[in-house]
Amino acid sequence: MTTQTLAPAAEAPPAVARARRTRRLLLLVALALVAISAVRIVTGATDLTSTGAISAALAAAVPIGLAGLGGLWSERAGVVNIGLEGMMILGTFGGAWGALTFGPWGGVVAGAVFGALGGLLHALATVTFNVDHIVSGVAITLLATGLARYLASFAFTDIGGGPTQSPVVPSLPKWSVPGLGWLAGIEQRGWFLVSDLAGIVRGALTELSALTVIAVILVPVSYLVLWRTAFGLRLRSCGENPKAAESLGVNVYRYKYYGVVISGALAGLGGAFLSIVAASIFREGQTAGRGYIGLATMIFGNWRPGGLASGALLFGYTDALQLRRGSESVHALLLFIAAVLAVIAVFQFRRGHRVVGIVSVALAAGALLWYFTTDQIPVEFVRAMPYVITLVVLALAAQRLRMPAADGQPYRKGEG
Amino acid sequence: MSRLDWRRWLPTTLAPFVAILIAAAISSIVLIGSGKDPWRAFSSMLEYAFGERTGPASMVDMLNRATTFYLSAVAVAIGFRMGLFNIGVEGQFRLAALLAGAFGAATFLDPVPGPIRIVLVIVVAMVVGAAWAGIAALLRVYRGVSEVISTIMLNFVGGSIFAFLLTEDYLGVKQPGSENVTTPILPADTWMPSFPFPNTNQRVFGFIVIAVLVGFGYWFLLGRTRFGFDLRASGMNPTAAVASGVDAKKMIIATMLISGAVAGLVGLPGLLGRDHAVTTSVAGFGFTGIAIALLGRNHPVGIAFAALLWAFLDRTRIILDLEQIPQETIVIMQSVTVLAVVVMGELAARFSRRQQQRSVGRATGETTVERPSVAVAGAGVENAREGS
């Protein structure tokens, strides 16, 4: 495993390699943009890059991304956190209750605190009592579901809600980057690429909830703290090799606690976003599995903040399209998926992975066939799309992913 | 050390009972905190479940609920025992119930006599459940995708397919006088015979027999066959299992298929015994199964008790309304019980391990063994993957 990670560094100095990677990434993004724009022109599915779709995508990506960041903090410290869903549920209640009691910012804090309490429980079970991480996570999700209902029945019954629903909560301020109004005109024109860019920029920079901005900032902050500070190095060392960390004087238990509690707070923040910003109300079941999706984005983001953020955006995007004439928009997207799969197939063949290449070609042909034989996709399939994409991505890329070496493994101080 | 050494079995056997006491204590604190008398709550729950007036009907209902819970939990436990987390029972059983229900009511089966048709329904359900779980197994074996993630994703995908197929365009029909879309009602000779129960006209699902058989099969498979030995060995120490000649890939696929096949049965007690058609409300038993498998420590008899306890709590929640206690208290009791059982199980395993190490230490003349790093025979087992 060590040789694997060292190999690229031996070929080129890290800075050069990083610059090359960034260049390649930017090229890919530009190509994807051109392709999407072409698909929009060909199919007339204007919602693919409209301001509304992009800002909806961003709003849908935020809770997933926050859950994914939560997963990142926990798993980097070596604790698998499948209880993210439960911590999010606690966050939805905490957010709504806090917002009703102390105002919207109070809700943000309360959501994070409730999530952190869930994280603390997970840390207690997995780190102190050494319970299997998956088992504890499942139990915590179960507990959170009941607890949120129980607390909601006390908190909301007298003020016009009940165990499954809260009254409308006060909302957070919205921010816009000033001076972007003229973009709307360009977006209307329907020009190739230019209008798409206008729609994307306008969607991404105007009418942003304050919590969205905070969530976006938290991605680079997580990267900086985890990869550029001594604290982060120690925390990650607990996920890679706790015994080595212990031998260097790191208090592994304490760092695992830090990781899991921060993880819970981030998931709780994601929950608070759902109840304060997305729905303006606490409703039972409103997380709808987003904690699990966050976990999935973290995995196919290869346990890195940038990767998980792009995963969250992908989910958010399909999620948002679903709400905006989903059947047509996602139908148009089939064309894009076919193109991407074809490109993947070419690369796989050139690398000599024949089987993966053939599978990709077959999938691409299937997507193409589907596009030409139908006019729209049943709404149920649109809903399933993000999960299928996750499965396909994991199936195609799982070997290239590398999780923290000691992730999910039990650790006892002084044993070994 | 003899197999019946108390250090080995006593702590792990006592742990669930201690855990339930702890959970009851925590639940009482929650009740007192909300200004209610826990004693009254518990006694009215017991009265409702076993009392003279409501008891018989409650007991039938609890048995019926427990039948479904038991099957779901066994499906999960099979995976747990080899360290595989089949979180996907939910998706497996929903798809299985839907396709089996539609198949059983299909017109081309009309000439087939009822009992054979019941068998066919059961077979279809098991095949569908196994196939859906098989996707996760193949992804794990050939592409290295964690089954935790893939089964969760497959739950969502399965849910979408379920919703897609259960429409009037495909497998669904609208029942007269109702807006609900269900599968066509099974012909009456495909309804599973049920058992009477004294002092009530409610009847016990005939499927309870099959649940008992599944439990017996689970015990036999794990405890009395080569396959079961390999399965448990893979769960306790995969490296050692592979070194001793177990084909890990084959084990993963086989275990996942069996787990999925049992999961396929989960929807059938209700389908064959009560509803006779699949409705959209066929959902939710998958996650309950995980909790009950944990509660029963993956042991065939333990799971049975856990399923009955769960059914008791589920049944008696409605009585809490009369006491002005929020029903949600029950969900807290259930989840606190699971957490307590899991934590106590871990502590008991650790305690028993230390006691065994002490006794070995005494026997070999080293009396001051506090926490040796060398594992003693039988001590390598850990947490929930272990049966009691």
Side-chain angles (χ1 to χ4, degrees), chain A residues 25-36:
Chain A
L25 200 68
L26 286 176
L27 188 69
L28 274 179
V29 171
L31 279 178
L33 201 61
V34 172
I36 289 262

Side-chain angles (χ1 to χ4, degrees), chain A residues 129 131-132 149-150 395 398, chain B residues 30 143 149 328 335 342 346 385:
Chain A
F129 291 124
V131 170
D132 186 281
R149 274 189 72 129
Y150 181 76
Chain B
V30 170
R143 306 301 309 169
I149 293 299
E328 292 68 39
S335 43
V342 166
E346 180 58 35
R385 290 167 189 182

Side-chain angles (χ1 to χ4, degrees), chain B residues 365-379:
Chain B
E366 265 182 79
T367 45
T368 53
V369 189
E370 263 310 307
R371 207 185 232 175
S373 57
V374 193
V376 183

Side-chain angles (χ1 to χ4, degrees), chain A residues 82 128-132 134-135 138 143 146-147 149-150 154 292 296 299 378 380 384 387 394-395 398-399 412, chain B residues 30 34 85 139 143 145 148-149 152-153 156 160 164 290-291 294 328-329 331-332 335 342-343 346 350 385:
Chain A
I82 207 175
T128 303
F129 291 124
N130 220 9
V131 170
D132 186 281
I134 308 272
V135 167
V138 169
L143 178 67
L147 205 58
R149 274 189 72 129
Y150 181 76
F154 282 107
Y292 300 121
I299 291 176
E380 291 87 0
Y387 311 105
L394 286 179
Q399 263 96 0
R412 305 292 325 151
Chain B
V30 170
S34 50
F85 290 95
L139 282 174
R143 306 301 309 169
V145 181
V148 177
I149 293 299
I152 289 173
M153 296 294 125
F156 289 109
S160 289
F164 174 70
I290 300 174
L294 295 174
E328 292 68 39
T329 317
V331 190
I332 295 184
S335 43
V342 166
V343 170
E346 180 58 35
R350 213 190 286 173
R385 290 167 189 182

Side-chain angles (χ1 to χ4, degrees), chain B residues 63-264:
Chain B
L63 281 175
N64 288 347
R65 284 174 198 259
T67 305
T68 306
F69 293 160
Y70 186 73
L71 290 166
S72 175
V74 168
V76 175
I78 293 170
F80 273 174
R81 287 302 292 270
M82 98 157 258
L84 275 179
F85 290 95
N86 183 4
I87 314 279
V89 170
E90 180 77 13
Q92 290 148 22
F93 100 81
R94 291 189 76 199
L95 278 183
L98 176 67
L99 294 181
F103 175 81
T107 42
F108 63 83
L109 274 182
D110 280 345
V112 181
I116 296 180
R117 211 192 292 210
I118 292 180
V119 174
L120 284 176
V121 166
I122 292 175
V123 170
V124 168
M126 291 179 82
V127 169
V128 174
W132 200 244
I135 299 176
L138 293 179
L139 282 174
R140 162 82 192 262
V141 168
Y142 291 108
R143 306 301 309 169
V145 181
S146 152
E147 80 283 358
V148 177
I149 293 299
S150 62
T151 51
I152 289 173
M153 296 294 125
L154 285 169
N155 277 343
F156 289 109
V157 179
S160 289
I161 296 178
F162 183 97
F164 174 70
L165 289 178
L166 194 56
T167 50
E168 284 183 283
D169 297 339
Y170 298 94
L171 302 178
V173 289
K174 240 182 213 150
Q175 298 306 336
S178 148
E179 279 302 295
N180 295 339
V181 178
T182 69
T183 56
I185 292 190
L186 293 171
D189 60 351
T190 319
W191 300 3
M192 201 146 182
S194 51
F195 303 112
F197 195 84
N199 299 327
T200 173
N201 54 3
Q202 308 284 322
R203 295 175 75 86
V204 180
F205 286 159
F207 216 84
I208 199 169
V209 177
I210 294 182
V212 171
L213 286 177
V214 165
F216 184 78
Y218 171 60
W219 167 81
F220 186 82
L221 181 78
L222 270 134
R224 293 288 177 274
T225 63
R226 164 77 194 266
F227 177 82
F229 180 81
D230 287 352
L231 188 146
R232 284 179 295 133
S234 311
M236 287 177 192
N237 191 339
T239 323
V242 169
S244 64
V246 175
D247 183 342
K249 287 185 175 178
K250 228 186 332 193
M251 286 304 298
I252 290 174
I253 293 179
T255 308
M256 214 55 185
L257 289 180
I258 298 174
S259 172
V262 175

